[in-house]
Amino acid sequence: MALPAYASYQYFTTTQPRPLIAHVEINRASKLNAFHEAMWLELRSVFTQLSTDPDVRAIVLSGAGDRAFTAGLDVQAASEGGVLSSDGEAANLDPARKAAALRRYVAEFQGCISAVERCEKPVICVMHGIALGLAIDIACCADIRLCARDTRFAVKEVDIGLAADIGTLARLPKAVGSQSWVKDVCLTARDFSAAEALAVGFVSQVLDSKAAALGVGLKTAAFIAEKSPVAVQGTKELLNHARDHTVEDNLRYTGVWNAAALQTNDVPAALMSVLQKRKPTFEKL
Amino acid sequence: MALPAYASYQYFTTTQPRPLIAHVEINRASKLNAFHEAMWLELRSVFTQLSTDPDVRAIVLSGAGDRAFTAGLDVQAASEGGVLSSDGEAANLDPARKAAALRRYVAEFQGCISAVERCEKPVICVMHGIALGLAIDIACCADIRLCARDTRFAVKEVDIGLAADIGTLARLPKAVGSQSWVKDVCLTARDFSAAEALAVGFVSQVLDSKAAALGVGLKTAAFIAEKSPVAVQGTKELLNHARDHTVEDNLRYTGVWNAAALQTNDVPAALMSVLQKRKPTFEKL
Amino acid sequence: MALPAYASYQYFTTTQPRPLIAHVEINRASKLNAFHEAMWLELRSVFTQLSTDPDVRAIVLSGAGDRAFTAGLDVQAASEGGVLSSDGEAANLDPARKAAALRRYVAEFQGCISAVERCEKPVICVMHGIALGLAIDIACCADIRLCARDTRFAVKEVDIGLAADIGTLARLPKAVGSQSWVKDVCLTARDFSAAEALAVGFVSQVLDSKAAALGVGLKTAAFIAEKSPVAVQGTKELLNHARDHTVEDNLRYTGVWNAAALQTNDVPAALMSVLQKRKPTFEKL
Amino acid sequence: MALPAYASYQYFTTTQPRPLIAHVEINRASKLNAFHEAMWLELRSVFTQLSTDPDVRAIVLSGAGDRAFTAGLDVQAASEGGVLSSDGEAANLDPARKAAALRRYVAEFQGCISAVERCEKPVICVMHGIALGLAIDIACCADIRLCARDTRFAVKEVDIGLAADIGTLARLPKAVGSQSWVKDVCLTARDFSAAEALAVGFVSQVLDSKAAALGVGLKTAAFIAEKSPVAVQGTKELLNHARDHTVEDNLRYTGVWNAAALQTNDVPAALMSVLQKRKPTFEKL
Amino acid sequence: MALPAYASYQYFTTTQPRPLIAHVEINRASKLNAFHEAMWLELRSVFTQLSTDPDVRAIVLSGAGDRAFTAGLDVQAASEGGVLSSDGEAANLDPARKAAALRRYVAEFQGCISAVERCEKPVICVMHGIALGLAIDIACCADIRLCARDTRFAVKEVDIGLAADIGTLARLPKAVGSQSWVKDVCLTARDFSAAEALAVGFVSQVLDSKAAALGVGLKTAAFIAEKSPVAVQGTKELLNHARDHTVEDNLRYTGVWNAAALQTNDVPAALMSVLQKRKPTFEKL
Amino acid sequence: MALPAYASYQYFTTTQPRPLIAHVEINRASKLNAFHEAMWLELRSVFTQLSTDPDVRAIVLSGAGDRAFTAGLDVQAASEGGVLSSDGEAANLDPARKAAALRRYVAEFQGCISAVERCEKPVICVMHGIALGLAIDIACCADIRLCARDTRFAVKEVDIGLAADIGTLARLPKAVGSQSWVKDVCLTARDFSAAEALAVGFVSQVLDSKAAALGVGLKTAAFIAEKSPVAVQGTKELLNHARDHTVEDNLRYTGVWNAAALQTNDVPAALMSVLQKRKPTFEKL
């Protein structure tokens, strides 16, 4: 059953399978969970709300239905209207003015997807079936990536005539080690399998089925949710900061961050529970 | 047969095995394709020309002959003259003036090799046999790296008393994930095999022979050359930008880049060809 | 036998198993080599001294005893006194003043561990048994990481209520490729094995036992110590610089670095020894 | 009369004194235009709307009434509620949890004020009378700063026990040249006059009265509004980018930006009008 | 009389008014020294050659004739051909392909002007009369800026419908302190006088006439040329590096730079001449 | 009378003219306060100690005697021994090894002077008489710079054959606005007066005599020392951070910093004292 606070969303179903965990499902299975504009706007709302929801400490993101995590951009919807369509108001603009409209459009689209990364709670992305284009953009914003063995991935954008601009080219090279592989899949738009995704480190686990992958995702989320939220959310923040800063800069930022965080009651509570070998409980955050 | 526009080059043979593809061969097999100064100057010319050649959409770079991609710097030639030799004009300079000469020399050498990276078209580097020293510098500038099973790699520079300064130390750590491995091969100058190169992600594919590797390289190049050049060249540019910028910065740059690129005719052409399941053709770029 | 110049240290035993090599052992086996404040202050002293010791060209760092490289922070010692304890002077400070004290404390602690990275000579970290928390912080500062098959690793900090702040979150994401894996082990604090550490590239070799790992570590150190120290130390410096700078910046820095370094006698000595197939000797550095 | 599209705002009056120009007034003169939370949220809305309003090409921002541009934060309102107050829910949080609440609060507050900088249209800030604390944060986000001779400025925050955190410390050092002066006014919280503000370059013009300053502000806005909006808005964007990037980076970004912008009809229109010595008109942007 | 090595240039006259000094004049007085493409290509050649000319230690750059340093881009020439013209081959390209052509064009143009900054010798820019558009781009690349009292400056680009893209927006904000002033002159394209240029620090001296300004420029150049070229050229390099790097980074780079530079004979020679109160002479660089 | 805790220093006299203020005097008037190595090592010790001394909230730094703030490096001492001297052990090193020694030497020297900047308390530098070379390096590390009218400044290093490497070239361009002026004084090594220093913003006040300048310095220090040390020290830290980071980065760091700092008792204490118009007192920090 959907969490009441998230019941009004149309394209994302948010449930609470266990205490302190939210499970967000992309909910447009009939169209392979393909995205149109209202959906990415809603994605931003959902994750912005989760980010400061004190009853949520870890999040699992997956796609509804058997066939797809998401097939990516709903190309038909995109071509029928909006900024990319060839008719309508934009048709009469000069290329510079059209560029301004496109820039604003792309920036807002990027910002919606980035909400998954900005979310203060860890996000575990569980993929299965078709995972194309926008699927990679979204997955790159998550913290931990898992998938079912049947997942078929592709950075599909060059096949529709464009360089991926919603985050894949920015984040994928920093999510895995092999740049030869990144260039290969981004320049060729070829499919890659779960096994290949595991080998290069894009996902950190492959499970036999969607159900199994979801099971591991929820279990991992539950495991994380039992820990100090001060420690967990600090760890996410500091790792995200590390990606885009020098070691020196990150050490300085970390010192300032922990100057407040170490004053939490969670440290003595955690230490005590270690010594007493019992599960600690932590206040909301 | 060499492409006419590239026929005057002495050390690099450029052919067009298929439409829109250039195959550049390092052509000094008698010396294991070892480099002297005239060669790296020529390398820069070749790739600068290819960069804006509208008839080329993807490039394969390999070494002539059976034995080597390249054995690296022609040490004998280097020791016989030029800035590193102990006699001649430089011998009388004080260490600061000698340093100025060396700095200019290294900067120009770096700039020549970097031409492979600056080239706007994707470069697939196909290695075999001996691939030492400068081989790694050059390969790191390519986009996709493949090799034959017999390839023997080494970051050889410490064995001749110097820290590699033509790009390996700058790019290799960002081309693969394991920094322990990078430090290992750079500090020990030990050989590493094709299998090891694949395991760490330095190459993304190992083939049974030079011929097989070249075959895959050319096929991949052909596959890429069929796609929208606006999309492909944008993807290369944005991935190169990503390596050296934060995610935030890259997203902003991407938005500005695509503000013009999305206005291409290639997007509707590509969409149409997807729907009609036929091969699209794209205008020159 | 301890090297005389390092004989006064209490928690670190430094020996010279072969010429030009130092072997540093964390020497508190009775407590699983767990660290208290005096130890990390001493660690800084040892590595600062080694950094400019002309008789040392490569360093192996390991933990004494059979059971642990190090179990990390000595939590009991930490909770009994110092900045983290709830009684004493700090108890009466307001949170801002407590934060100032914590910030200074963390900064100094970070600086002590970073001494391993700042050390101008290559450091090979050989791990075995228990390697928790601070073990990862320290290992990340080393250049090459090896381990015994029995090593049990964990980024343990979240389990005691805090985000790791001594360097793991800054350096681990840049030491390996898979960010999904990094987030996984840092957010869950779960154990990971030697095999997993090898698969993701955290270590570059796994050996059957501590003794075997130490053997390889020492052999690698000896191998490196035979090479030009100008070349080796330059390589370490330039690779460390590369991690935190753009390729462009690193190339420029490299050119300036080598403008002096290429004037070494080691280049002709190394070239000569290659031609004459004999071992070169190099002056102290 | 207020512009209809902005008529619903409570604390900011937006009028259109001349075509293509918006004049935004902080409208709480009875309280010296001091800010409480609803006001900075509204400020964000106003400037976000102006940013893409095609009928606005330049903006003047000033404070209503004779006495103050703004006296800054409404300290009384701040102390009576919200995150800084000592009672309410926050009182029971441990310092780490309180820190999380404060961090979110400050980040949102910063984001509201930054909307002035993010606004794509040039903003001319016209100050008079009292201009304390938040006044400086806001003025630093504007593009051009003018003031009346009677303006009394101060970076007031240290006097209420805190380091300015809404942007002054980030932007003021980059808005003027003398860092000794910046440190002086920020560390002492002393007043500084219009003359001093002009001498250090914080404002670029001082006028005799509020009316005169507003006159010049509106005239300058009108002058800018007559020019190509493609050129003007590009100039603002590229200068803002320059502040936070290297010259190299900015040149690259500029090339990509202008690759689209130079395709505007405004270039031939502007050239023609120069040759024909008549005023050009430009399409909306 | 022109220096023989520079006699073949058509648009730039290079003389040697005193030993070790080069005086470069923009030599198209009949057209107010306005630039067309052949001129900026030549500018790059001249300054690239000067950069490593051992007989030149300081350079003065000025404009021929009484009326102008330079009126900037020769708009007529620009509109009659090349990438910006509306007819010719480019007319049929889609906006993305046109953007690619423009990007390459702007990048090369930027690179030509940047040659003044890249030149290893100090460049003193002496301005007079009209100094518009490109004049500011060029002046920003020089090290020291002087002008005659009659100089009339403007960042003119918005008046022809474009954001300045050859360097002014990248460098001007870092050449002076007042960002309000920078935004003012860049957004309004208004003229500013020598006095204003001095007040904001764009020029560091204003002289009564072109002749007087040139006199001071040459005297300053001569004064610099008498000093150690190792010291002078190092100072230019380190200051240019400082602009685009953190203090920390610049200190590290400086240490590496001076590690070679301090080994010059110029240090003892300079010290000796100080003690003996006589003019030192220094070897070529 | 010297503060007891600082009584053992030989070259720096530290007194407490008023509560919470330290006055540090360079104490080698007989040699114009010229620096030799023992002095800069001591400078580091003094400022490192002051940094965390809870009884000090603001610091004034000046030079003893009537004639000089400091004449800079004691060239005679430097030439008689140490790393720069031409005899001794270093004489036999090859240029690369000598470079290593010089690099370490310069890095340590830089680190000693940077201690003034790293000091957590504001430092007001009061200059008079001769202020050459190292004087500028040191002054650039201070927060506020004042001087007597008789001060004679010069960035003297090029006159002894070297590029300034202890911080002037890193910090001076960021301490003032006019880069033309910076290049002028650094490339020519010419003297500049107090009036010129004020005009470009290097100092923020010029007083009639050393005594007057010291008076203002102490008064300013006293004024600052009365304010919340949490606010003051935070302001210094955040401004120093701003210099070397983007606005975006600084805003994020500021939010994290103030998340702890805003929890101080100083905020209510300061607010209360404002309302009650009495001087607040603040706890130690």
Side-chain angles (χ1 to χ4, degrees), chain C residues 1 3 29 56 70 75 94 138 202 208 228 233 259 263:
Chain C
M1 213 189 66
L3 267 173
V56 173
T70 168
V75 175
D94 71 26
I138 293 170
F202 178 61
D208 278 341
S228 156
Q233 293 171 32
Q263 298 185 45

Side-chain angles (χ1 to χ4, degrees), chain E residues 48-93:
Chain E
T48 302
Q49 188 177 339
L50 288 165
S51 184
T52 57
D53 183 334
D55 295 320
V56 173
R57 293 202 185 156
I59 299 161
V60 172
L61 173 66
S62 66
D66 292 338
R67 295 174 56 207
F69 172 64
T70 168
L73 192 67
D74 184 332
V75 175
Q76 196 174 345
S79 65
E80 276 167 10
V83 79
L84 288 165
S85 73
S86 52
D87 41 57
E89 205 184 331
N92 301 315
L93 298 178

